[in-house]
């Protein structure tokens, strides 16, 4: 088996490699945040995200991911926990698209009587 020293990868990679609680590796662009990770797992996880445990510590959604971080996302019971300020937090195109869509849906649901 090959052992990868994640610290040695860092300067050479445009990506950051992080772990799910089950140990799966997720590749994200360097500079990605905990919120980007939530969206990378699933759009619903991102939309319901209310917090992140990184390496067993509570961190902000804006936390910049480092190689080897182990991330667990805390989700709300609400289907749409999105805040338009999240557009300032997410770095990936996919997460940005999901946040915009959820913000629009939230606005539309405000008009439901």
């Amino acid at each position: 088996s090959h052992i990868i020293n994640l610290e040695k990868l860092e300067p050479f990679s445009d990506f950051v490699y992080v772990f799910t609680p089950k140990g799966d590796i997720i590749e994200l662009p360097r500079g990605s945040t905990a919120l980007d990770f939530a969206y990378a797992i699933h759009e619903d996880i991102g939309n319901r995200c209310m917090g992140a445990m990184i390496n067993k510590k509570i961190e902000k959604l804006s936390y910049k991911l480092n190689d080897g971080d182990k991330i667990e996302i805390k989700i709300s019971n609400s289907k749409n926990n999105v805040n338009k300020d999240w557009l300032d937090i997410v770095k990936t195109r996919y997460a940005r698209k999901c946040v915009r869509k959820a913000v629009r849906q939230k606005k539309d649901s405000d008009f439901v009587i």
Side-chain angles (χ1 to χ4, degrees):
S1 77
H2 296 285
I3 295 172
I4 297 172
N5 183 337
L6 292 174
E7 275 122 39
K8 285 187 178 164
L9 277 178
E10 188 172 349
F12 305 109
S13 178
D14 293 336
F15 296 96
V16 63
Y17 298 91
V18 296
F19 295 94
T20 67
K22 290 181 180 170
D24 295 324
I25 296 176
I26 304 290
E27 176 188 82
L28 288 162
R30 193 159 295 284
S32 292
T33 63
L35 190 53
D36 287 300
F37 172 87
Y39 278 106
I41 298 301
H42 195 281
E43 183 177 358
D44 287 343
I45 301 292
N47 287 345
R48 295 172 67 181
C49 183
M50 56 184 262
M53 291 276 292
I54 300 174
N55 305 322
K56 299 187 177 162
K57 276 179 57 194
I58 296 170
E59 298 285 358
K60 292 181 176 167
L61 295 180
S62 58
Y63 172 96
K64 275 202 172 51
L65 303 175
N66 298 298
D67 285 313
D69 282 345
K70 186 174 180 183
I71 308 159
E72 186 180 337
I73 298 298
K74 302 293 179 197
I75 59 171
S76 78
N77 291 330
S78 161
K79 283 253 184 268
N80 189 338
N81 201 42
V82 178
N83 177 321
K84 76 175 180 10
D85 295 341
W86 286 10
L87 288 170
D88 297 330
I89 295 174
V90 293
K91 303 297 177 218
T92 62
R93 191 176 298 136
Y94 176 71
R96 193 175 305 284
K97 185 183 94 173
C98 292
V99 171
R100 280 200 189 104
K101 182 170 132 189
V103 166
R104 269 197 312 275
Q105 286 171 345
K106 212 170 189 174
K107 272 189 191 142
D108 291 347
S109 70
D110 288 346
F111 299 114
V112 174
I113 298 167

